[in-house]
Amino acid sequence: MKKMDLHHIRKDYTAGSLDEQSIPGSPFELFSQWINQAINHSEIIEPTAMILSTVAIDGSPSSRVVLLKEVSDNGFTFFTNYQSRKGKEISVHNKVSLLFFWPEMQRQIRIEGQAFKLEENFNHEYFNSRPVESQIAAIISKQSEKANSKIEIMESYNDFSEKDQTPVKPAHWGGFRVIPAYFEFWQGGSHRLHDRITYQQDSGIWTIGRLWP
Ligand SMILES: Cc1cc2nc3c(=O)[nH]c(=O)nc-3n(C[C@H](O)[C@H](O)[C@H](O)COP(=O)(O)O)c2cc1C
């Protein structure tokens, strides 16, 4: 690849600010305000997309995008294949991080916590609500395993579709709920003096702090 000089790409942030006096005591409340603003923002096409990072047994980190499907004070839920790379990594080491980046609002949220498998009744409920094509894809996909070709994947999909059978949630597919212990809300500021507000949980109490930009 030819060397690219990207030094001139530089943006000043002026969209807003965060101060300790006007934020809620609960990070879930602030998250709810921010994600609602992202959902209602006309330029944000995937407001619920978040970057999930996991750690392998040898300490190697890996990241990928997943979609947030439910959020409450009980945690952040996404769905996946339990036998995928992320699924296997979480089963060994369940500390994960989630990251939301909404550049159009000059905002980032970092969340750290532990992931737990969702109860099977919730998995069935969500699986059954999905379009049939997504259900079939979830059944036939050996997510993260090596495939021989795109043809192999499409044949597997078509074989299932032609059988005309009702898709049933496979045991390897379901959700994880991430229960956070730490949040950082980042709002871009002018002159690179960004606001970074943290919420750290200790014995059920959330303590608010501020980090240098
Ligand atoms: C916008 C977007 C949304 C995605 N949503 C999901 C999701 O909800 N669940 C999922 O398993 N993979 C999702 N993916 C695919 C993952 O990023 C990833 O490729 C896949 O889960 C395999 O990851 P792994 O090999 O690290 O387990 C999404 C990708 C993108 C770009």
Side-chain angles (χ1 to χ4, degrees):
M1 178 188 176
K2 202 165 146 256
K3 179 178 160 193
M4 293 170 75
D5 182 349
L6 306 171
H7 291 87
H8 60 287
I9 299 184
R10 165 165 283 277
K11 195 156 185 49
D12 203 25
Y13 300 120
T14 52
S17 63
L18 262 181
D19 79 280
E20 290 83 339
Q21 275 42 267
S22 55
I23 53 170
S26 160
F28 294 99
E29 191 51 47
L30 186 53
F31 180 84
S32 162
Q33 291 173 13
W34 278 26
I35 195 154
N36 274 308
Q37 288 164 8
I39 290 165
N40 292 321
H41 196 294
S42 58
E43 288 159 33
I44 300 181
I45 57 166
E46 287 283 27
T48 61
M50 54 186 187
I51 295 162
L52 163 75
S53 299
T54 54
V55 184
I57 199 157
D58 67 356
S60 311
S62 65
S63 302
R64 76 291 288 154
V65 175
V66 292
L67 295 178
L68 178 67
K69 288 296 170 187
E70 193 183 297
V71 57
S72 72
D73 288 6
N74 295 327
F76 291 71
T77 299
F78 65 91
F79 289 87
T80 194
N81 184 316
Y82 289 138
Q83 287 162 5
S84 63
R85 176 172 176 180
K86 72 182 97 46
K88 286 179 180 157
E89 291 185 353
I90 291 171
S91 73
V92 176
H93 180 90
N94 79 337
K95 286 193 175 163
V96 302
S97 76
L98 303 174
L99 184 137
F100 293 84
F101 176 42
W102 298 307
E104 298 79 1
M105 300 198 302
Q106 302 175 0
R107 283 176 175 171
Q108 166 183 257
I109 305 176
R110 293 165 64 168
I111 298 168
E112 293 166 27
Q114 284 174 276
F116 298 91
K117 272 187 176 174
L118 214 57
E119 299 77 7
E120 271 295 273
N121 56 319
F122 291 127
N123 292 339
H124 282 283
E125 199 180 303
Y126 178 59
F127 184 87
N128 293 336
S129 76
R130 302 180 85 207
V132 69
E133 296 79 9
S134 309
Q135 293 176 335
I136 297 172
I139 291 169
I140 61 106
S141 177
K142 301 174 194 151
Q143 193 179 54
S144 314
E145 281 182 29
K146 280 211 171 83
N148 291 321
S149 64
K150 178 83 189 227
I151 295 171
E152 181 192 24
I153 295 170
M154 292 316 295
E155 276 178 358
S156 180
Y157 181 91
N158 293 334
D159 283 353
F160 189 96
S161 307
E162 281 157 18
K163 280 188 199 140
D164 199 28
Q165 63 192 61
T166 310
V168 176
K169 187 196 83 64
H172 65 249
W173 191 92
F176 282 106
R177 184 184 290 124
V178 177
I179 301 184
Y182 178 80
F183 287 73
E184 182 201 314
F185 293 85
W186 184 100
Q187 176 76 62
S190 50
H191 318 306
R192 297 290 185 265
L193 297 176
H194 316 300
D195 286 314
R196 299 180 66 190
I197 296 292
T198 59
Y199 290 76
Q200 175 86 51
Q201 197 195 42
D202 200 8
S203 313
I205 309 281
W206 289 101
T207 305
I208 296 176
R210 176 179 285 271
L211 300 177
W212 282 80

